[in-house]
């Protein structure tokens, strides 16, 4: 009988540990931080493209109405998935003019989920429907 209780306790402990370990992994893949009710179209100049796990990020300097610039960050998928879609680490280069569609962060910071993009040469990513190439500088 004691062995039965010990086995049940060990099994319950293992299940609890698995649940605790999986919760952060599941939370990481949530898109709850992005406002899917708002879609912004922004144009600017690429500052860098970080092709890193678990998510790649595209950074773009966007000119504000007052003439100042704000660097926006746009989250993409994981590099293995991007590579299968034809997106390599040099798909975007610093200095490229781009127009992007994004669902911004809910907290107001200048970042969002990248829905689509197009550069001045017409090269596209994701859902670029409705996006016009930016003017080349």
């Amino acid at each position: 009988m004691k062995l039965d209780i010990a086995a049940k306790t060990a099994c319950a402990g293992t299940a609890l540990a698995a649940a605790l370990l999986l919760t952060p992994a599941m939370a990481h893949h949530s898109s709850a931080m992005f406002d899917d009710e708002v879609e912004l179209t922004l144009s600017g100049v690429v500052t860098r493209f970080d092709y890193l796990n678990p998510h790649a990020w595209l950074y773009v300097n966007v000119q504000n109405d007052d003439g100042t610039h704000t660097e926006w960050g746009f989250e993409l998928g994981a590099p293995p998935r991007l590579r299968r879609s034809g997106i390599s680490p040099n798909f975007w280069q610093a200095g490229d003019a781009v127009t992007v569609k994004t669902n911004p962060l809910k907290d107001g910071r200048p970042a969002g989920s990248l829905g689509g993009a197009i550069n001045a040469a017409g090269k596209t990513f994701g859902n670029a429907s409705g996006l016009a190439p930016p003017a080349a500088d």
Side-chain angles (χ1 to χ4, degrees):
M1 193 86 155
K2 287 184 180 181
L3 185 57
D4 210 9
I5 292 172
K8 288 180 182 177
T9 302
C11 186
T14 301
L16 178 61
L20 291 173
L21 291 172
L22 288 176
T23 300
M26 295 301 285
H28 169 80
H29 289 95
S30 171
S31 62
M33 64 188 162
F34 302 114
D35 189 343
D36 62 356
E37 299 293 318
V38 175
E39 183 176 85
L40 300 177
T41 300
L42 302 169
S43 293
V45 176
V46 172
T47 58
R48 70 184 190 275
F49 181 38
D50 291 343
Y51 199 80
L52 305 169
N53 279 317
H55 297 281
W57 283 81
L58 175 66
Y59 294 90
V60 177
N61 265 345
V62 176
Q63 186 170 342
N64 302 312
D65 292 338
D66 65 1
T68 62
H69 289 86
T70 299
E71 185 178 57
W72 279 73
F74 304 103
E75 184 182 65
L76 292 83
R81 183 176 175 207
L82 293 172
R83 173 114 19 219
R84 286 191 300 273
S85 299
I87 309 300
S88 67
N90 60 358
F91 188 81
W92 284 292
Q93 297 291 317
D96 287 351
V98 295
T99 299
V100 303
K101 280 197 282 192
T102 185
N103 294 106
L105 288 173
K106 290 179 180 177
D107 68 8
R109 288 179 294 154
S113 173
L114 186 63
I118 188 167
N119 72 5
K123 183 167 58 172
T124 62
F125 166 81
N127 179 8
S129 65
L131 293 179
D137 289 333

